[in-house]
Amino acid sequence: QVQPVESGGGLVQPGGSLRLSCAASGSIFSINVMGWYRQAPGKERELVAHITSGGNTNYADSVKGRFTISRDNAKNTVYLQMNSLKPEDTAVYYCNVVVVPVGYGRSASYWGQGTQVTVSS
């Protein structure tokens, strides 16, 4: 079983910064894509950013220039550096990893339990 675990959420004032981390543990043969999604109250879950095993990144238009995604392959960890935070960034942030588990012949997607980010004065 593969389990991503997020950390780093909290309360921050508008214009502030937070750094989220997500470490994937378990029987992992390889990790393909690692990403961050978010879900605000009353809204659908949306992609924030993802990064491939080769380092290619993709961002939602709403966070381009403010958020940076990175990964440490040796630690099976993905990070999301969030700067210039706005109240509309308030949401539960979920980590998603697409991995090939040990003994499996194909990849599978796993979700973390989420971490709350609140941007408010």
Side-chain angles (χ1 to χ4, degrees):
Q1 183 69 14
V2 176
Q3 180 62 55
V5 178
E6 303 102 335
S7 62
L11 172 65
V12 63
Q13 292 185 342
S17 298
L18 279 177
R19 188 191 195 209
L20 305 183
S21 300
C22 172
S25 62
S27 298
I28 299 172
F29 176 74
S30 64
I31 300 180
N32 298 333
V33 181
M34 306 183 83
W36 291 95
Y37 290 71
R38 66 187 181 186
Q39 187 167 18
K43 295 187 177 181
E44 294 186 352
R45 191 173 297 187
E46 63 175 1
L47 172 70
V48 176
H50 72 234
I51 183 168
T52 68
S53 57
N56 293 318
T57 58
N58 183 48
Y59 294 91
D61 288 343
S62 59
V63 307
K64 283 181 180 177
R66 300 188 297 122
F67 291 10
T68 302
I69 190 170
S70 60
R71 62 190 279 175
D72 184 334
N73 292 327
K75 296 181 179 180
N76 290 343
T77 299
V78 62
Y79 306 96
L80 185 68
Q81 177 66 43
M82 305 184 293
N83 299 328
S84 302
L85 282 160
K86 304 175 181 179
E88 50 263 44
D89 294 317
T90 296
V92 178
Y93 283 69
Y94 296 91
C95 174
N96 176 262
V97 295
V98 179
V99 310
V100 178
V102 173
Y104 278 57
R106 54 186 174 86
S107 60
S109 176
Y110 297 88
W111 291 91
Q113 293 188 334
T115 184
Q116 177 70 46
V117 171
T118 302
V119 184
S120 175
S121 55

PDB file of all heavy atoms in Angstrom, residues 21-50:
ATOM      1  N   SER A  21       4.512  20.085   1.949  1.00  0.00           N
ATOM      2  CA  SER A  21       5.318  18.912   1.626  1.00  0.00           C
ATOM      3  C   SER A  21       4.417  17.690   1.569  1.00  0.00           C
ATOM      4  O   SER A  21       3.408  17.623   2.284  1.00  0.00           O
ATOM      5  CB  SER A  21       6.401  18.686   2.682  1.00  0.00           C
ATOM      6  OG  SER A  21       7.271  19.780   2.775  1.00  0.00           O
ATOM      7  N   CYS A  22       4.803  16.734   0.755  1.00  0.00           N
ATOM      8  CA  CYS A  22       4.075  15.471   0.668  1.00  0.00           C
ATOM      9  C   CYS A  22       5.082  14.358   0.437  1.00  0.00           C
ATOM     10  O   CYS A  22       5.776  14.344  -0.580  1.00  0.00           O
ATOM     11  CB  CYS A  22       3.057  15.502  -0.450  1.00  0.00           C
ATOM     12  SG  CYS A  22       2.259  13.904  -0.768  1.00  0.00           S
ATOM     13  N   ALA A  23       5.154  13.445   1.397  1.00  0.00           N
ATOM     14  CA  ALA A  23       6.059  12.309   1.303  1.00  0.00           C
ATOM     15  C   ALA A  23       5.255  11.043   1.034  1.00  0.00           C
ATOM     16  O   ALA A  23       4.293  10.748   1.759  1.00  0.00           O
ATOM     17  CB  ALA A  23       6.859  12.177   2.590  1.00  0.00           C
ATOM     18  N   ALA A  24       5.645  10.320   0.014  1.00  0.00           N
ATOM     19  CA  ALA A  24       4.973   9.068  -0.322  1.00  0.00           C
ATOM     20  C   ALA A  24       5.774   7.906   0.246  1.00  0.00           C
ATOM     21  O   ALA A  24       6.981   7.801   0.019  1.00  0.00           O
ATOM     22  CB  ALA A  24       4.844   8.929  -1.829  1.00  0.00           C
ATOM     23  N   SER A  25       5.090   7.039   0.981  1.00  0.00           N
ATOM     24  CA  SER A  25       5.757   5.888   1.578  1.00  0.00           C
ATOM     25  C   SER A  25       5.041   4.611   1.161  1.00  0.00           C
ATOM     26  O   SER A  25       3.901   4.642   0.710  1.00  0.00           O
ATOM     27  CB  SER A  25       5.778   6.020   3.098  1.00  0.00           C
ATOM     28  OG  SER A  25       4.457   6.046   3.616  1.00  0.00           O
ATOM     29  N   GLY A  26       5.714   3.482   1.358  1.00  0.00           N
ATOM     30  CA  GLY A  26       5.117   2.204   1.005  1.00  0.00           C
ATOM     31  C   GLY A  26       5.980   1.453   0.012  1.00  0.00           C
ATOM     32  O   GLY A  26       7.142   1.772  -0.205  1.00  0.00           O
ATOM     33  N   SER A  27       5.368   0.475  -0.612  1.00  0.00           N
ATOM     34  CA  SER A  27       6.084  -0.381  -1.562  1.00  0.00           C
ATOM     35  C   SER A  27       6.056   0.265  -2.948  1.00  0.00           C
ATOM     36  O   SER A  27       5.223  -0.060  -3.783  1.00  0.00           O
ATOM     37  CB  SER A  27       5.441  -1.761  -1.597  1.00  0.00           C
ATOM     38  OG  SER A  27       5.521  -2.382  -0.330  1.00  0.00           O
ATOM     39  N   ILE A  28       6.997   1.153  -3.167  1.00  0.00           N
ATOM     40  CA  ILE A  28       7.051   1.939  -4.392  1.00  0.00           C
ATOM     41  C   ILE A  28       8.194   1.484  -5.273  1.00  0.00           C
ATOM     42  O   ILE A  28       9.349   1.484  -4.841  1.00  0.00           O
ATOM     43  CB  ILE A  28       7.201   3.440  -4.072  1.00  0.00           C
ATOM     44  CG1 ILE A  28       6.005   3.940  -3.254  1.00  0.00           C
ATOM     45  CG2 ILE A  28       7.350   4.253  -5.346  1.00  0.00           C
ATOM     46  CD1 ILE A  28       6.167   5.347  -2.726  1.00  0.00           C
ATOM     47  N   PHE A  29       7.870   1.122  -6.504  1.00  0.00           N
ATOM     48  CA  PHE A  29       8.920   0.786  -7.472  1.00  0.00           C
ATOM     49  C   PHE A  29       9.399   2.056  -8.166  1.00  0.00           C
ATOM     50  O   PHE A  29      10.600   2.285  -8.309  1.00  0.00           O
ATOM     51  CB  PHE A  29       8.397  -0.218  -8.496  1.00  0.00           C
ATOM     52  CG  PHE A  29       9.381  -0.546  -9.579  1.00  0.00           C
ATOM     53  CD1 PHE A  29      10.479  -1.354  -9.308  1.00  0.00           C
ATOM     54  CD2 PHE A  29       9.232  -0.049 -10.871  1.00  0.00           C
ATOM     55  CE1 PHE A  29      11.411  -1.658 -10.300  1.00  0.00           C
ATOM     56  CE2 PHE A  29      10.149  -0.353 -11.869  1.00  0.00           C
ATOM     57  CZ  PHE A  29      11.237  -1.155 -11.565  1.00  0.00           C
ATOM     58  N   SER A  30       8.457   2.873  -8.601  1.00  0.00           N
ATOM     59  CA  SER A  30       8.811   4.148  -9.237  1.00  0.00           C
ATOM     60  C   SER A  30       7.637   5.117  -9.098  1.00  0.00           C
ATOM     61  O   SER A  30       6.492   4.702  -8.913  1.00  0.00           O
ATOM     62  CB  SER A  30       9.163   3.967 -10.712  1.00  0.00           C
ATOM     63  OG  SER A  30       8.039   3.511 -11.437  1.00  0.00           O
ATOM     64  N   ILE A  31       7.965   6.394  -9.168  1.00  0.00           N
ATOM     65  CA  ILE A  31       6.934   7.429  -9.106  1.00  0.00           C
ATOM     66  C   ILE A  31       6.926   8.192 -10.416  1.00  0.00           C
ATOM     67  O   ILE A  31       7.976   8.673 -10.853  1.00  0.00           O
ATOM     68  CB  ILE A  31       7.153   8.399  -7.934  1.00  0.00           C
ATOM     69  CG1 ILE A  31       7.138   7.644  -6.601  1.00  0.00           C
ATOM     70  CG2 ILE A  31       6.072   9.476  -7.929  1.00  0.00           C
ATOM     71  CD1 ILE A  31       7.339   8.533  -5.384  1.00  0.00           C
ATOM     72  N   ASN A  32       5.804   8.289 -11.036  1.00  0.00           N
ATOM     73  CA  ASN A  32       5.684   9.015 -12.290  1.00  0.00           C
ATOM     74  C   ASN A  32       5.377  10.479 -12.023  1.00  0.00           C
ATOM     75  O   ASN A  32       6.243  11.302 -11.905  1.00  0.00           O
ATOM     76  CB  ASN A  32       4.628   8.371 -13.174  1.00  0.00           C
ATOM     77  CG  ASN A  32       5.008   6.947 -13.547  1.00  0.00           C
ATOM     78  OD1 ASN A  32       6.191   6.590 -13.591  1.00  0.00           O
ATOM     79  ND2 ASN A  32       4.030   6.113 -13.809  1.00  0.00           N
ATOM     80  N   VAL A  33       4.118  10.798 -11.854  1.00  0.00           N
ATOM     81  CA  VAL A  33       3.703  12.177 -11.649  1.00  0.00           C
ATOM     82  C   VAL A  33       3.387  12.418 -10.177  1.00  0.00           C
ATOM     83  O   VAL A  33       2.797  11.563  -9.513  1.00  0.00           O
ATOM     84  CB  VAL A  33       2.465  12.512 -12.502  1.00  0.00           C
ATOM     85  CG1 VAL A  33       2.042  13.968 -12.297  1.00  0.00           C
ATOM     86  CG2 VAL A  33       2.744  12.233 -13.972  1.00  0.00           C
ATOM     87  N   MET A  34       3.789  13.586  -9.688  1.00  0.00           N
ATOM     88  CA  MET A  34       3.421  14.022  -8.349  1.00  0.00           C
ATOM     89  C   MET A  34       2.737  15.378  -8.485  1.00  0.00           C
ATOM     90  O   MET A  34       3.212  16.232  -9.254  1.00  0.00           O
ATOM     91  CB  MET A  34       4.639  14.142  -7.436  1.00  0.00           C
ATOM     92  CG  MET A  34       5.483  12.880  -7.384  1.00  0.00           C
ATOM     93  SD  MET A  34       6.879  13.009  -6.247  1.00  0.00           S
ATOM     94  CE  MET A  34       6.064  12.611  -4.687  1.00  0.00           C
ATOM     95  N   GLY A  35       1.660  15.573  -7.760  1.00  0.00           N
ATOM     96  CA  GLY A  35       0.931  16.821  -7.950  1.00  0.00           C
ATOM     97  C   GLY A  35       0.168  17.277  -6.735  1.00  0.00           C
ATOM     98  O   GLY A  35       0.041  16.552  -5.743  1.00  0.00           O
ATOM     99  N   TRP A  36      -0.326  18.489  -6.841  1.00  0.00           N
ATOM    100  CA  TRP A  36      -1.144  19.105  -5.811  1.00  0.00           C
ATOM    101  C   TRP A  36      -2.476  19.542  -6.412  1.00  0.00           C
ATOM    102  O   TRP A  36      -2.507  20.143  -7.499  1.00  0.00           O
ATOM    103  CB  TRP A  36      -0.447  20.322  -5.207  1.00  0.00           C
ATOM    104  CG  TRP A  36       0.747  19.980  -4.388  1.00  0.00           C
ATOM    105  CD1 TRP A  36       2.042  19.953  -4.793  1.00  0.00           C
ATOM    106  CD2 TRP A  36       0.752  19.592  -3.012  1.00  0.00           C
ATOM    107  NE1 TRP A  36       2.861  19.572  -3.761  1.00  0.00           N
ATOM    108  CE2 TRP A  36       2.094  19.343  -2.647  1.00  0.00           C
ATOM    109  CE3 TRP A  36      -0.241  19.432  -2.043  1.00  0.00           C
ATOM    110  CZ2 TRP A  36       2.469  18.954  -1.356  1.00  0.00           C
ATOM    111  CZ3 TRP A  36       0.123  19.040  -0.763  1.00  0.00           C
ATOM    112  CH2 TRP A  36       1.458  18.811  -0.431  1.00  0.00           C
ATOM    113  N   TYR A  37      -3.541  19.239  -5.698  1.00  0.00           N
ATOM    114  CA  TYR A  37      -4.881  19.665  -6.051  1.00  0.00           C
ATOM    115  C   TYR A  37      -5.448  20.422  -4.852  1.00  0.00           C
ATOM    116  O   TYR A  37      -4.931  20.312  -3.749  1.00  0.00           O
ATOM    117  CB  TYR A  37      -5.777  18.464  -6.367  1.00  0.00           C
ATOM    118  CG  TYR A  37      -5.423  17.748  -7.648  1.00  0.00           C
ATOM    119  CD1 TYR A  37      -4.263  16.980  -7.757  1.00  0.00           C
ATOM    120  CD2 TYR A  37      -6.243  17.825  -8.768  1.00  0.00           C
ATOM    121  CE1 TYR A  37      -3.939  16.330  -8.931  1.00  0.00           C
ATOM    122  CE2 TYR A  37      -5.942  17.173  -9.951  1.00  0.00           C
ATOM    123  CZ  TYR A  37      -4.791  16.429 -10.024  1.00  0.00           C
ATOM    124  OH  TYR A  37      -4.464  15.773 -11.191  1.00  0.00           O
ATOM    125  N   ARG A  38      -6.515  21.162  -5.082  1.00  0.00           N
ATOM    126  CA  ARG A  38      -7.157  21.840  -3.967  1.00  0.00           C
ATOM    127  C   ARG A  38      -8.668  21.851  -4.164  1.00  0.00           C
ATOM    128  O   ARG A  38      -9.157  21.784  -5.287  1.00  0.00           O
ATOM    129  CB  ARG A  38      -6.646  23.269  -3.800  1.00  0.00           C
ATOM    130  CG  ARG A  38      -6.994  24.226  -4.935  1.00  0.00           C
ATOM    131  CD  ARG A  38      -6.286  25.563  -4.736  1.00  0.00           C
ATOM    132  NE  ARG A  38      -6.609  26.515  -5.796  1.00  0.00           N
ATOM    133  CZ  ARG A  38      -6.028  27.710  -5.909  1.00  0.00           C
ATOM    134  NH1 ARG A  38      -5.094  28.092  -5.039  1.00  0.00           N
ATOM    135  NH2 ARG A  38      -6.386  28.530  -6.892  1.00  0.00           N
ATOM    136  N   GLN A  39      -9.347  21.929  -3.036  1.00  0.00           N
ATOM    137  CA  GLN A  39     -10.807  21.978  -3.070  1.00  0.00           C
ATOM    138  C   GLN A  39     -11.290  23.002  -2.056  1.00  0.00           C
ATOM    139  O   GLN A  39     -11.076  22.838  -0.855  1.00  0.00           O
ATOM    140  CB  GLN A  39     -11.408  20.608  -2.780  1.00  0.00           C
ATOM    141  CG  GLN A  39     -12.913  20.564  -2.981  1.00  0.00           C
ATOM    142  CD  GLN A  39     -13.453  19.146  -3.000  1.00  0.00           C
ATOM    143  OE1 GLN A  39     -12.805  18.209  -2.553  1.00  0.00           O
ATOM    144  NE2 GLN A  39     -14.648  18.967  -3.546  1.00  0.00           N
ATOM    145  N   ALA A  40     -11.921  24.038  -2.558  1.00  0.00           N
ATOM    146  CA  ALA A  40     -12.507  25.069  -1.707  1.00  0.00           C
ATOM    147  C   ALA A  40     -13.953  24.686  -1.388  1.00  0.00           C
ATOM    148  O   ALA A  40     -14.567  23.915  -2.130  1.00  0.00           O
ATOM    149  CB  ALA A  40     -12.453  26.421  -2.396  1.00  0.00           C
ATOM    150  N   PRO A  41     -14.506  25.217  -0.309  1.00  0.00           N
ATOM    151  CA  PRO A  41     -15.893  24.890   0.055  1.00  0.00           C
ATOM    152  C   PRO A  41     -16.857  25.194  -1.085  1.00  0.00           C
ATOM    153  O   PRO A  41     -16.826  26.281  -1.672  1.00  0.00           O
ATOM    154  CB  PRO A  41     -16.156  25.789   1.259  1.00  0.00           C
ATOM    155  CG  PRO A  41     -14.814  26.015   1.862  1.00  0.00           C
ATOM    156  CD  PRO A  41     -13.870  26.087   0.692  1.00  0.00           C
ATOM    157  N   GLY A  42     -17.685  24.215  -1.414  1.00  0.00           N
ATOM    158  CA  GLY A  42     -18.684  24.393  -2.457  1.00  0.00           C
ATOM    159  C   GLY A  42     -18.158  24.306  -3.868  1.00  0.00           C
ATOM    160  O   GLY A  42     -18.912  24.531  -4.824  1.00  0.00           O
ATOM    161  N   LYS A  43     -16.878  23.990  -4.021  1.00  0.00           N
ATOM    162  CA  LYS A  43     -16.285  23.916  -5.355  1.00  0.00           C
ATOM    163  C   LYS A  43     -15.707  22.531  -5.602  1.00  0.00           C
ATOM    164  O   LYS A  43     -15.473  21.758  -4.675  1.00  0.00           O
ATOM    165  CB  LYS A  43     -15.193  24.983  -5.515  1.00  0.00           C
ATOM    166  CG  LYS A  43     -15.712  26.402  -5.456  1.00  0.00           C
ATOM    167  CD  LYS A  43     -14.609  27.391  -5.793  1.00  0.00           C
ATOM    168  CE  LYS A  43     -15.127  28.822  -5.818  1.00  0.00           C
ATOM    169  NZ  LYS A  43     -14.051  29.800  -6.171  1.00  0.00           N
ATOM    170  N   GLU A  44     -15.475  22.243  -6.881  1.00  0.00           N
ATOM    171  CA  GLU A  44     -14.877  20.970  -7.241  1.00  0.00           C
ATOM    172  C   GLU A  44     -13.366  21.000  -7.005  1.00  0.00           C
ATOM    173  O   GLU A  44     -12.739  22.066  -6.995  1.00  0.00           O
ATOM    174  CB  GLU A  44     -15.167  20.658  -8.708  1.00  0.00           C
ATOM    175  CG  GLU A  44     -16.641  20.420  -9.003  1.00  0.00           C
ATOM    176  CD  GLU A  44     -16.866  19.962 -10.432  1.00  0.00           C
ATOM    177  OE1 GLU A  44     -15.897  19.972 -11.223  1.00  0.00           O
ATOM    178  OE2 GLU A  44     -18.010  19.594 -10.764  1.00  0.00           O
ATOM    179  N   ARG A  45     -12.808  19.816  -6.836  1.00  0.00           N
ATOM    180  CA  ARG A  45     -11.358  19.720  -6.699  1.00  0.00           C
ATOM    181  C   ARG A  45     -10.708  20.113  -8.024  1.00  0.00           C
ATOM    182  O   ARG A  45     -11.151  19.706  -9.096  1.00  0.00           O
ATOM    183  CB  ARG A  45     -10.962  18.304  -6.310  1.00  0.00           C
ATOM    184  CG  ARG A  45      -9.523  18.140  -5.891  1.00  0.00           C
ATOM    185  CD  ARG A  45      -9.249  16.741  -5.362  1.00  0.00           C
ATOM    186  NE  ARG A  45     -10.028  16.457  -4.159  1.00  0.00           N
ATOM    187  CZ  ARG A  45      -9.852  15.346  -3.425  1.00  0.00           C
ATOM    188  NH1 ARG A  45      -8.943  14.462  -3.762  1.00  0.00           N
ATOM    189  NH2 ARG A  45     -10.613  15.147  -2.365  1.00  0.00           N
ATOM    190  N   GLU A  46      -9.642  20.908  -7.937  1.00  0.00           N
ATOM    191  CA  GLU A  46      -8.964  21.372  -9.137  1.00  0.00           C
ATOM    192  C   GLU A  46      -7.457  21.161  -9.040  1.00  0.00           C
ATOM    193  O   GLU A  46      -6.887  21.170  -7.938  1.00  0.00           O
ATOM    194  CB  GLU A  46      -9.245  22.870  -9.364  1.00  0.00           C
ATOM    195  CG  GLU A  46      -8.729  23.775  -8.278  1.00  0.00           C
ATOM    196  CD  GLU A  46      -8.920  25.255  -8.585  1.00  0.00           C
ATOM    197  OE1 GLU A  46      -9.474  25.592  -9.636  1.00  0.00           O
ATOM    198  OE2 GLU A  46      -8.490  26.077  -7.746  1.00  0.00           O
ATOM    199  N   LEU A  47      -6.834  21.001 -10.193  1.00  0.00           N
ATOM    200  CA  LEU A  47      -5.386  20.861 -10.246  1.00  0.00           C
ATOM    201  C   LEU A  47      -4.730  22.192  -9.923  1.00  0.00           C
ATOM    202  O   LEU A  47      -5.116  23.236 -10.459  1.00  0.00           O
ATOM    203  CB  LEU A  47      -4.948  20.399 -11.634  1.00  0.00           C
ATOM    204  CG  LEU A  47      -3.452  20.382 -11.888  1.00  0.00           C
ATOM    205  CD1 LEU A  47      -2.779  19.276 -11.081  1.00  0.00           C
ATOM    206  CD2 LEU A  47      -3.161  20.219 -13.371  1.00  0.00           C
ATOM    207  N   VAL A  48      -3.728  22.152  -9.054  1.00  0.00           N
ATOM    208  CA  VAL A  48      -2.910  23.329  -8.769  1.00  0.00           C
ATOM    209  C   VAL A  48      -1.625  23.258  -9.588  1.00  0.00           C
ATOM    210  O   VAL A  48      -1.276  24.191 -10.305  1.00  0.00           O
ATOM    211  CB  VAL A  48      -2.579  23.427  -7.266  1.00  0.00           C
ATOM    212  CG1 VAL A  48      -1.658  24.606  -7.001  1.00  0.00           C
ATOM    213  CG2 VAL A  48      -3.854  23.530  -6.438  1.00  0.00           C
ATOM    214  N   ALA A  49      -0.926  22.142  -9.471  1.00  0.00           N
ATOM    215  CA  ALA A  49       0.328  21.964 -10.201  1.00  0.00           C
ATOM    216  C   ALA A  49       0.716  20.500 -10.168  1.00  0.00           C
ATOM    217  O   ALA A  49       0.354  19.771  -9.229  1.00  0.00           O
ATOM    218  CB  ALA A  49       1.446  22.808  -9.593  1.00  0.00           C
ATOM    219  N   HIS A  50       1.456  20.058 -11.196  1.00  0.00           N
ATOM    220  CA  HIS A  50       2.043  18.732 -11.122  1.00  0.00           C
ATOM    221  C   HIS A  50       3.415  18.744 -11.761  1.00  0.00           C
ATOM    222  O   HIS A  50       3.767  19.659 -12.523  1.00  0.00           O
ATOM    223  CB  HIS A  50       1.118  17.655 -11.700  1.00  0.00           C
ATOM    224  CG  HIS A  50       0.983  17.686 -13.189  1.00  0.00           C
ATOM    225  ND1 HIS A  50      -0.226  17.757 -13.827  1.00  0.00           N
ATOM    226  CD2 HIS A  50       1.901  17.607 -14.186  1.00  0.00           C
ATOM    227  CE1 HIS A  50      -0.053  17.750 -15.123  1.00  0.00           C
ATOM    228  NE2 HIS A  50       1.229  17.663 -15.369  1.00  0.00           N
TER     229      HIS A  50
END
